[in-house]
Amino acid sequence: MKPSSPDRMERSVIHDAEGDLLVQRIEPLFSSNLPALANVAIAALVSVAARDDVPRAYLVGWVLLMGALSLYRVFLVDRFRRSRPGPSEAPFWERRMFHCAAAQGLVWSLTGLSVAQFPMPMEVIGIISVAVCGMLAGATFTLTGSQRVFRAYVFPAGIGLIAGIMLSGAPEGPVVAFMGIVYLTVVLVWGREIGRSAEERLAMAAEKAHLLANLEFAQRETELEKEFKQETYNKLGHELRTPLNSIIGFAEVIASEAVGPVGTPRYKEYAELVAESGKHLSNLIDEMLTLATGESPQTGADGEPVDVTEVMVFCRDMLAPFAKTRGIELRLSPADQDLPPIRIDPLKLRQVLINLLNNAIHYTLQGGRIELASTRGAGNFIEISVSDTGIGMSDADIPKALEPFNQLENGKTHNPHGKGIGLALSKKFVELYGGRMEIESELGVGTKITVFLPTDPRAAG
C-alpha cells in the first residue's frame, strides 16, 4: 500500500481539528434543556404576578407563545444531540438557534408593552424586571458560545422592558429604566468577555491541535525518510556487491589456478591480493552501510587471535602502490620485540589501519613520509601508530575530524572525493574491542594517530 502524502495527511489532520473545534463552539447552545424550561416556567410565574393587572387573554397568549418557542428549543437540543452534526452542518444549527433565541427575546420584550399599556403597581413591575434580568443573566452562561445568538436574545428582551418602564408613567420609571440600561450594558459586556474567553480557549485548543498535527507530520516524514534511506542503502549495497563478488570469484579462480597454471608466480600473488582486497572491501561496504543508516556496529564479538605484524604487512603491501604514485614513502617499522597476538576481527583491524594509512597518504604532500609502527604498551595493550609529515590539524579540528561524514575544509583540497567516515569508523571499531584512539597533530607539521588495543578485550572489559 502506498503511504499517504505527508502534506495531505497534515492538511487532513488540521482540517479535522478545526472542524471539530467549530462544532465545539456551538455545542454549549445545545448543552441542556433547562434554559428552555426556565423560559416557560419564569413566564408562567410572571403571568401569575400580573394576573390582576393584565387581561387574562393577553397573559395566556403570551405564555403559550413562550411555551411553543421553548418546546421548539427543546426539539432543537434533542435533534442536535441525536444527529451529532459534523463541521459542515455547524453553521446551519447555529442559524436555527439564532432564530429561536431571537423569537424568545422578542416575546420577552412584550413585557415592556404590557408595562406601558396596563397600569400596575411598582412591585409588579419589579417582579417583571427581576424575571427578565434573571433570564438575561442566565443567557451569559448558555448562549455566549455564539455572540450573534446571545445578542439576538438579550438585546430585544432588555430594550423592550426598559422602553416599557420609561413609558409607563410611573414616577420611578426613569430611574428604574436607567438602571435597566446600566444592567443591560453590563450583561452585554459580560457576555462578550465570556465569549472572548471561550474563543481564546478554542484558539489555544486549535493551536495545540495544529502543533500535534505538525508533530505527527514530522514523525511520519521522519519515518518515510528513514524507510527511503534504508531502501536506498540496501539497493546501493546490492549494486556494489554484485560486481565485487565477480571480482573476488575470478581472482580466486586465478589464484587457485583452477583452469590452468598462471605462468608467472608474481601474477598468482597479485590474484591472491586482489581476492583478499575484494573480501575486505565487501566487509567495508557492510560496515559503511551500517554506519550510514545510523546504527552501531555489532558489539560483543569475541574475534580471533590475530598476528598484528601480519596485518600491518598486508595493509602496507595493499597501499604501497598508491603511496608510490603520489611520491610518498610508506615505511613499516619492525617492532622492537615480539608482539603477542590480539583477539579481534582481522577484517576490522585491517580496516582501521587501511583507513589511517589512506588518510595519511591523501593528506601528505609529495616527498613526504609515512611510518607504520607497533610496540607493546603498558599492561596488556598493543600500540599501533601511523605517523605522517602531512598538512596536520589544529587542536580544535581534531574532534570535528572524528565526526561521521564531516570533512574538514583544509582537507577537501587534498581529498575532494573524501566522505569523512574513515576516522569515525576506525574509532568505532577500536572502541568495539575495548581500545582507544589518540590523535596528535600540528598544522603544517604532520599527524600521529595511535591505536591502543588490548590483547584480550574480554579481560579489558
Side-chain angles (χ1 to χ4, degrees):
M1 180 181 295
K2 185 179 180 180
S4 301
S5 165
D7 289 339
R8 183 182 302 172
M9 181 189 68
E10 182 191 25
R11 288 195 300 268
S12 175
V13 172
I14 294 174
H15 175 75
D16 291 343
E18 291 178 348
D20 290 340
L21 290 172
L22 179 61
V23 174
Q24 292 174 17
R25 184 175 65 82
I26 68 167
E27 275 183 347
L29 305 178
F30 304 89
S31 61
S32 174
N33 286 322
L34 288 178
L37 299 177
N39 272 273
V40 69
I42 297 298
L45 292 175
V46 167
S47 298
V48 172
R51 66 184 182 279
D52 295 332
D53 304 294
V54 180
R56 181 168 299 180
Y58 184 97
L59 293 175
V60 170
W62 182 72
V63 172
L64 289 176
L65 185 57
M66 182 66 77
L69 291 173
S70 296
L71 288 176
Y72 177 66
R73 186 167 175 176
V74 170
F75 167 77
L76 289 180
V77 170
D78 182 67
R79 287 294 300 274
F80 182 88
R81 291 177 178 177
R82 290 177 180 272
S83 62
R84 296 181 180 178
S88 61
E89 300 171 296
F92 167 74
W93 284 97
E94 185 179 21
R95 284 195 302 271
R96 297 182 76 175
M97 183 56 75
F98 171 81
H99 295 145
C100 180
Q104 285 188 313
L106 290 172
V107 172
W108 278 113
S109 71
L110 295 178
T111 57
L113 179 62
S114 65
V115 169
Q117 184 175 359
F118 307 110
M120 59 184 69
M122 183 52 66
E123 57 266 24
V124 176
I125 295 177
I127 292 174
I128 295 174
S129 299
V130 170
V132 173
C133 289
M135 297 311 300
L136 299 186
T140 60
F141 297 99
T142 59
L143 298 179
T144 50
S146 170
Q147 284 297 297
R148 59 194 297 260
V149 174
F150 171 71
R151 289 191 293 266
Y153 178 85
V154 169
F155 194 76
I159 289 297
L161 180 59
I162 291 170
I165 295 174
M166 182 69 73
L167 299 174
S168 65
E172 303 88 348
V175 176
V176 175
F178 180 75
M179 293 173 61
I181 291 174
V182 173
Y183 181 80
L184 178 61
T185 302
V186 170
V187 168
L188 288 171
V189 173
W190 187 16
R192 185 185 65 182
E193 293 302 317
I194 293 176
R196 183 178 296 173
S197 177
E199 289 292 335
E200 290 176 356
R201 289 197 300 271
L202 290 175
M204 292 178 62
E207 183 178 359
K208 179 181 177 182
H210 181 70
L211 292 174
L212 290 175
N214 283 340
L215 177 60
E216 185 178 349
F217 164 69
Q219 290 175 337
R220 181 56 182 159
E221 187 178 46
T222 300
E223 292 174 1
L224 291 175
E225 289 180 354
K226 184 177 180 180
E227 292 173 4
F228 175 76
K229 185 178 180 181
Q230 186 64 51
E231 182 180 358
T232 300
Y233 282 122
N234 288 340
K235 290 180 179 179
L236 176 61
H238 174 74
E239 295 298 326
L240 290 174
R241 291 188 188 96
T242 299
L244 186 57
N245 288 336
S246 298
I247 294 172
I248 295 172
F250 285 124
E252 289 178 341
V253 169
I254 296 172
S256 64
E257 299 180 316
V259 294
V262 173
T264 303
R266 194 71 171 173
Y267 288 156
K268 182 179 178 180
E269 293 177 10
Y270 288 162
E272 291 174 350
L273 185 59
V274 169
E276 285 296 317
S277 299
K279 293 176 182 177
H280 177 78
L281 182 57
S282 178
N283 182 74
L284 172 61
I285 290 172
D286 291 336
E287 299 296 349
M288 287 177 61
L289 295 180
T290 298
L291 181 64
T293 53
E295 301 175 0
S296 299
Q298 293 291 329
T299 58
D302 290 336
E304 59 185 72
V306 174
D307 186 333
V308 174
T309 302
E310 182 178 315
V311 174
M312 293 171 64
V313 170
F314 172 85
C315 295
R316 189 273 315 270
D317 292 345
M318 182 176 176
L319 291 173
F322 177 43
K324 187 176 181 180
T325 61
R326 297 177 67 94
I328 298 171
E329 178 188 358
L330 175 55
R331 184 171 60 190
L332 174 61
S333 298
D336 54 3
Q337 56 180 308
D338 291 337
L339 300 178
I342 62 175
R343 183 171 290 276
I344 194 172
D345 181 346
L347 291 178
K348 286 186 170 58
L349 180 58
R350 286 182 185 178
Q351 188 56 48
V352 169
L353 298 184
I354 289 172
N355 285 342
L356 300 183
L357 289 172
N358 187 59
N359 277 356
I361 294 171
H362 274 106
Y363 301 126
T364 299
L365 302 179
Q366 184 176 3
R369 185 180 68 257
I370 299 173
E371 181 177 0
L372 177 61
S374 60
T375 186
R376 185 160 189 170
N380 63 337
F381 278 83
I382 301 296
E383 299 179 13
I384 307 173
S385 63
V386 175
S387 306
D388 64 60
T389 58
I391 60 175
M393 295 180 287
S394 66
D395 292 339
D397 284 336
I398 292 177
K400 299 177 183 178
L402 292 172
E403 296 176 2
F405 306 102
N406 185 20
Q407 190 179 19
L408 300 179
E409 288 298 325
N410 64 337
K412 293 180 180 179
T413 304
H414 300 274
N415 185 19
H417 302 294
K419 301 303 179 184
I421 63 172
L423 285 180
L425 197 60
S426 298
K427 184 173 181 290
K428 281 183 178 291
F429 288 160
V430 170
E431 293 173 349
L432 182 64
Y433 289 91
R436 71 181 190 277
M437 189 167 71
E438 294 182 357
I439 301 178
E440 302 173 35
S441 188
E442 184 177 348
L443 277 174
V445 177
T447 300
K448 179 180 180 181
I449 301 180
T450 305
V451 172
F452 300 82
L453 286 170
T455 55
D456 189 344
R458 296 172 297 183

